[in-house]
Amino acid sequence: MKPTAILFYAAGCFGSLLLWWFFSQSTDSSLHRFNPFDTWSALVSFISMPKFWQGLAESLQRLAVGIGIAAAIGIPVGIVIGYSSIVFELTYIPFQFVRMISPLSWTPVAIILLGIGSGPVYFLVSIAALWPIVMNTAAGVRAADRQWIEVAQCLGAGHLQTIWFVLIRSTLPHILVGLQLALGVAWIVLVPAEMLGVASGLGYMILDARDVNDYASVMALILVIGFLGICLDLPLKMLLRKISF
Amino acid sequence: MQKLSINSIEKHFCHDQGLMQVLGPLNLEILPGEFVCILGESGCGKSTLWRILAGLEAPSAGKLLLDEQAISGTDYRRGVVFQNPALLPWLTVEENVALGFKIRGKKVPKQAVRDTIKLVGIDGFENVKPKKLSGGMAQRAAIARALVSNPDVLLMDEPFAALDAVTRLRMQEALLDIWQRQSITVVFITHDIDEAMALASRVVIMTPRPGRIAATIDIPLSHPRMRADDEFLHLRGLVADELVKSFKKSPDRELICS
Ligand SMILES: Nc1ncnc2c1ncn2[C@@H]1O[C@H](COP(=O)(O)OP(=O)(O)O)[C@@H](O)[C@H]1O
Ligand SMILES: [Mg+2]
């Protein structure tokens, strides 16, 4: 990275903090409650709070399970859709239809089917993460160079060998982009999902803090959520650079 | 290898204006050990014929026979080399060459893979990714990938057309060397008279679309060929004349209305 780039990245962060501080200085007392200094003390107090770390772990675990389910279903489905134009045509309209529905609108369905607890959260996170994975995987398979497929066929490959030796690897960068997008939406859905039916996790903790008028903690949790989002995105971005060809 | 017979093969493609006859009817026999160059202008259906021979495309009519047995679909015993190398970019040269064995679920014969890489003259580049190779070297790797399975016949579609003139000459020499050492059969598509003259033991000239056999000329010259020799020049002249004559043999009914 160029030194000037680092400078600008740092300036962007500092500028945002300054803006935040500026607005929290307003005479409106409700805005003042969210000021950066109180938020910072709340953040520091989190470090020695086991309940915070538990909630964090709980949220990350739900995220991992949800994305894991989405990937386990979405990658094979995406490959089949990308490979077979018949399956593509069969699934196109239903999938586009379901994809456009906000994942959170499934909440009542999820709760009726899976009861109260982590089940509905897994469900909502997976359904949010599923579509980017399916769509990107399918697009990746369709974008594969036809000649690679023909080379494999001429070397004796049938459908399965073509998928295994050519398409999965050639689609890997697309799958990773899908996972990256999935992570983004899953992280977005996770927090409201945790406000609905569970008694742990970062989403729940935000509501909990609000109930006792602890606005500094609300802000601190929001910062943690945003920061974790960046942290989760980064390794995928680096992996993507490594496997691109 | 056995005899490869092309038996009244035809190919039509659907176009806006109807069904277009691209190829045939076309008959040709390719004997073991031959180096057949198929020569014709662009668009005459050479690649289509090559795809049919490779099994990548089914003919609209006619049959492909290997030793009197009808064949269809692809088969690793018919090795193919595309116009561009078409190496898998995420694999190294060695992995690309060994790919066929992996696909067929066979143990990779490491020594044979190394030997073939050496044969085509890219030893030392086994662990390099295709992106780092020049066009000529990448095409050598593609030839090795086809050769390593000991194919009965090597099918090549203008494999050197994208290379610069000097590299093309080098590649022709390398290919002749391989052909002589391995005593394989080669079907080599080209639109370049000089290339055909440098390589072929028989030149087959195709008419413009729909591609048919216009003429077949044996080139009974040994290698290395002296391009300035009278006999060479005489044969080259014959080939060029036949090519010119072939333009007039193409019938005008290209479109069969459907
Ligand atoms: N898949 C296809 N669909 C329709 N037309 C095709 C197809 N493949 C080739 N053609 C047509 O067939 C003709 C011969 O093509 P090709 O075999 O590639 O010729 P050559 O290799 O001799 O240049 C061309 O006019 C081309 O447009
Ligand atoms: Mg061609």
Side-chain angles (χ1 to χ4, degrees):
Chain A
M1 215 190 297
K2 281 190 298 186
T4 50
I6 296 176
L7 201 69
F8 284 129
Y9 282 125
C13 295
F14 185 72
S16 311
L17 285 174
L18 210 64
L19 218 58
W20 177 15
W21 172 80
F22 177 77
F23 281 108
S24 68
Q25 292 310 298
S26 90
T27 47
D28 183 344
S29 66
S30 62
L31 272 178
H32 189 73
R33 287 185 297 207
F34 298 105
N35 78 75
F37 302 104
D38 292 351
T39 304
W40 178 253
S41 355
L43 257 182
V44 172
S45 72
F46 281 166
I47 295 174
S48 57
M49 212 188 285
K51 227 181 114 211
F52 166 75
W53 292 110
Q54 266 164 30
L56 187 75
E58 199 97 37
S59 284
L60 287 176
Q61 185 249 340
R62 287 187 185 125
L63 186 77
V65 171
I67 289 186
I69 294 171
I73 298 171
I75 294 172
V77 167
I79 287 173
V80 173
I81 291 177
Y83 191 69
S84 157
S85 52
I86 295 175
V87 178
F88 175 83
E89 285 154 14
L90 277 174
T91 53
Y92 183 76
I93 292 173
F95 274 21
Q96 290 298 328
F97 182 86
V98 180
R99 188 169 79 93
M100 296 302 174
I101 299 167
S102 159
L104 289 173
S105 21
W106 296 104
T107 309
V109 180
I111 290 176
I112 288 168
L113 290 180
L114 301 167
I116 302 284
S118 286
V121 180
Y122 293 147
F123 180 87
L124 295 176
V125 171
S126 324
I127 209 159
L130 184 65
W131 305 112
I133 296 177
V134 170
M135 296 296 156
N136 275 280
T137 305
V141 172
R142 291 168 79 84
D145 193 329
R146 273 212 62 78
Q147 282 202 331
W148 298 340
I149 297 170
E150 291 185 343
V151 161
Q153 286 172 351
C154 289
L155 292 171
H159 292 294
L160 283 180
Q161 290 89 341
T162 304
I163 290 174
W164 182 252
F165 287 100
V166 178
L167 290 175
I168 290 184
R169 181 59 184 84
S170 77
T171 306
L172 212 51
H174 298 260
I175 294 176
L176 266 190
V177 169
L179 280 174
Q180 225 178 341
L181 294 172
L183 190 71
V185 287
W187 195 229
I188 287 169
V189 167
L190 178 73
V191 171
E194 282 180 337
M195 292 178 174
L196 294 169
V198 289
S200 61
L202 295 173
Y204 169 80
M205 285 161 73
I206 290 184
L207 284 193
D208 200 36
R210 185 206 59 186
D211 287 347
V212 295
N213 294 330
D214 181 359
Y215 295 104
S217 290
V218 170
M219 271 321 271
L221 285 164
I222 289 174
L223 281 194
V224 168
I225 289 166
F227 182 68
L228 274 176
I230 296 181
C231 292
L232 292 170
D233 191 55
L234 212 62
L236 278 177
K237 208 165 257 163
M238 280 172 3
L239 190 61
L240 186 64
R241 201 169 304 157
K242 198 161 168 194
I243 60 145
S244 294
F245 42 79
Chain B
M1 128 110 182
Q2 309 103 317
K3 184 175 66 179
L4 182 63
S5 311
I6 299 162
N7 214 329
S8 315
I9 273 185
E10 286 179 53
K11 186 71 186 181
H12 314 281
F13 282 118
C14 286
H15 268 239
D16 309 337
Q17 303 95 335
L19 217 53
M20 183 175 74
Q21 176 148 16
V22 168
L23 202 64
L26 191 148
N27 289 291
L28 186 65
E29 293 214 323
I30 291 149
L31 301 174
E34 269 196 300
F35 198 127
V36 175
C37 278
I38 296 179
L39 181 64
E41 67 171 12
S42 284
C44 77
K46 301 184 297 296
S47 292
T48 305
L49 174 61
W50 172 83
R51 290 178 64 80
I52 290 172
L53 292 177
L56 288 169
E57 198 102 52
S60 310
K63 272 187 297 209
L64 209 57
L65 304 172
L66 195 58
D67 235 15
E68 315 302 338
Q69 295 265 312
I71 50 172
S72 67
T74 55
D75 189 329
Y76 69 91
R77 281 162 299 189
R78 272 173 283 142
V80 301
V81 179
F82 292 70
Q83 192 161 347
N84 54 327
L87 300 170
L88 303 189
W90 56 88
L91 298 179
T92 63
V93 166
E94 187 170 343
E95 289 164 340
N96 265 292
V97 174
L99 182 66
F101 297 103
K102 290 231 169 118
I103 282 177
R104 300 192 291 275
K106 296 271 153 54
K107 197 175 169 301
V108 175
K110 277 240 152 70
Q111 196 52 46
V113 169
R114 292 271 158 101
D115 289 347
T116 312
I117 288 174
K118 201 169 159 65
L119 179 73
V120 300
I122 50 168
D123 41 326
F125 293 88
E126 287 86 351
N127 298 317
V128 169
K129 292 273 173 69
K131 225 190 241 170
K132 299 245 170 75
L133 298 177
S134 68
M137 300 222 296
Q139 198 56 291
R140 284 172 194 257
I143 293 171
R145 177 177 61 192
L147 277 180
V148 77
S149 308
N150 282 319
D152 293 329
V153 56
L154 196 56
L155 306 169
M156 311 178 90
D157 184 19
E158 308 200 29
F160 309 145
L163 304 176
D164 68 79
V166 178
T167 310
R168 193 179 314 147
L169 284 181
R170 276 189 82 116
M171 294 295 288
Q172 289 167 3
E173 292 307 305
L175 179 61
L176 277 174
D177 189 48
I178 292 165
W179 172 65
Q180 287 173 318
R181 281 208 245 169
Q182 306 281 301
S183 55
I184 49 169
T185 312
V186 180
V187 177
F188 188 105
I189 309 277
T190 181
H191 63 250
D192 179 353
I193 297 181
D194 288 312
E195 188 162 63
M197 285 307 298
L199 299 171
S201 56
R202 186 154 60 111
V203 176
V204 174
I205 293 165
M206 276 172 75
T207 63
R209 200 178 65 213
R212 298 177 183 179
I213 308 286
T216 304
I217 297 162
D218 286 317
I219 313 290
L221 301 175
S222 58
H223 296 280
R225 288 181 178 168
M226 298 296 127
R227 289 177 172 82
D229 274 5
D230 287 344
E231 204 182 352
F232 183 95
L233 289 171
H234 173 70
L235 284 166
R236 191 189 184 285
L238 282 184
V239 169
D241 286 346
E242 285 297 342
L243 196 56
V244 172
K245 268 194 264 172
S246 78
F247 301 151
K248 298 180 184 103
K249 285 189 191 166
S250 120
D252 287 331
R253 47 165 199 87
E254 285 179 3
L255 289 174
I256 308 168
C257 284
S258 56

